[in-house]
Amino acid sequence: MSAPAASTALPEAPPCPRHPEQPAVGTCTRCGGFYCEAEALRHEERTYCEACGVLPEVGHLEGMKRKLWGKRDGWAWLMLASAPLHLAFTVAMGMDGLWHWAVLGAADTAVVGAWFLGVRLARPALLLLPPLWLGGFLLKGRDLWVLVPLVPAMGLALWLYASTRVRLFFQLEVDGERLERLWDARENNPLARLALVCGLAGLVVPVVAPLAMLLGLVGLHRVNPGATPPIGKRMHALAGVMLGGVSVVGWTGFLLMGRWPVPPG
Ligand SMILES: [Zn+2]
Ligand SMILES: [Zn+2]
């Protein structure tokens, strides 16, 4: 008679093919492969392995969330870029003995540094900086003109606090509705959206107008309501083409009139 297994008498579950140290807990609805608990993705009663769960036709929102989870966005890198300026300000004020301003500079430096490192406290802390600076200015008896830079700074801080993309960077949970909106802004026919932006810009900067028409036509071609997930923004693309066209005609007419001015009287 053979000796019983040393570790456990229970029959062992097969290991996960991607994480051999983890036991598999089920098989994927789509590919039939084993998955472990950590990577299992559930959509509408069905469970998928990690590879299948993020496919566009299975769960495009979950896929986007995993892609952006903990990943720095442009704002995080901008925070890092601004850190040396805040630090230089802090040191310069400290060396001049202006401790009042040095403390404010140090607070800025700490918040932007922590933001870049993904410290969650940096997100609410950013909201405190504009009021702190306002307090600092008022203490020194400055006029209310200091609100001119502080009001937009406060607006930006509030916007960043509310941003779904920023929440994903800080690895904070977001609901499906927020993910849907982020998807619509980022991934749903971005060329059509860019066409509209270029179309509006073309009204002021004429060289952008032909680009708006081109992007609009490509964006229009990509619209496919039957795809999974659906590709939309038809109106954005159309507006880009039309605004671009109006700009091209308008600016051409304007330039021609400038070249052959109507002789007076
Ligand atoms: Zn699978
Ligand atoms: Zn696994």
Side-chain angles (χ1 to χ4, degrees), residues 189-211:
N189 206 348
L191 282 186
R193 185 186 169 97
L194 195 59
L196 176 60
V197 172
C198 286
L200 290 169
L203 298 173
V204 191
V205 189
V207 287
V208 192
L211 186 65

Side-chain angles (χ1 to χ4, degrees), residues 28-33 48-53:
C28 169
T29 307
R30 186 174 169 277
C31 72
Y48 299 87
C49 72
E50 187 163 42
C52 295

Side-chain angles (χ1 to χ4, degrees), residues 36-54:
C36 63
E37 188 55 46
E39 65 180 317
L41 285 169
R42 291 173 184 86
H43 300 301
E44 296 164 2
E45 316 271 292
R46 300 196 182 95
T47 313
Y48 299 87
C49 72
E50 187 163 42
C52 295
V54 298

Side-chain angles (χ1 to χ4, degrees), residues 31-172:
C31 72
F34 288 119
Y35 56 76
C36 63
E37 188 55 46
E39 65 180 317
L41 285 169
R42 291 173 184 86
H43 300 301
E44 296 164 2
E45 316 271 292
R46 300 196 182 95
T47 313
Y48 299 87
C49 72
E50 187 163 42
C52 295
V54 298
L55 289 174
E57 63 267 35
V58 177
H60 61 286
L61 295 182
E62 191 61 34
M64 179 182 68
K65 186 177 145 190
R66 291 220 167 188
K67 196 175 81 185
L68 302 178
W69 192 253
K71 189 168 173 261
R72 292 188 179 95
D73 63 349
W75 289 106
W77 289 101
L78 213 60
M79 295 284 178
L80 178 69
S82 76
L85 301 175
H86 292 299
L87 190 60
F89 174 84
T90 308
V91 172
M93 290 296 129
M95 277 163 60
D96 285 351
L98 299 167
W99 298 111
H100 180 89
W101 302 114
V103 167
L104 286 173
D108 278 4
T109 313
V111 171
V112 297
W115 187 289
F116 179 77
L117 294 174
V119 179
R120 284 183 188 167
L121 205 57
R123 192 168 147 269
L126 190 72
L127 294 175
L128 296 177
L129 291 180
L132 264 179
W133 277 90
L134 180 62
F137 281 123
L138 293 180
L139 258 175
K140 288 285 168 184
R142 303 296 164 96
D143 286 332
L144 282 179
W145 64 261
V146 298
L147 288 174
V148 174
L150 286 180
V151 166
M154 192 65 211
L156 178 64
L158 284 167
W159 183 82
L160 285 172
Y161 187 81
S163 157
T164 303
R165 178 65 188 87
V166 167
R167 285 187 74 95
L168 290 174
F169 160 52
F170 282 109
Q171 307 193 353
L172 295 163

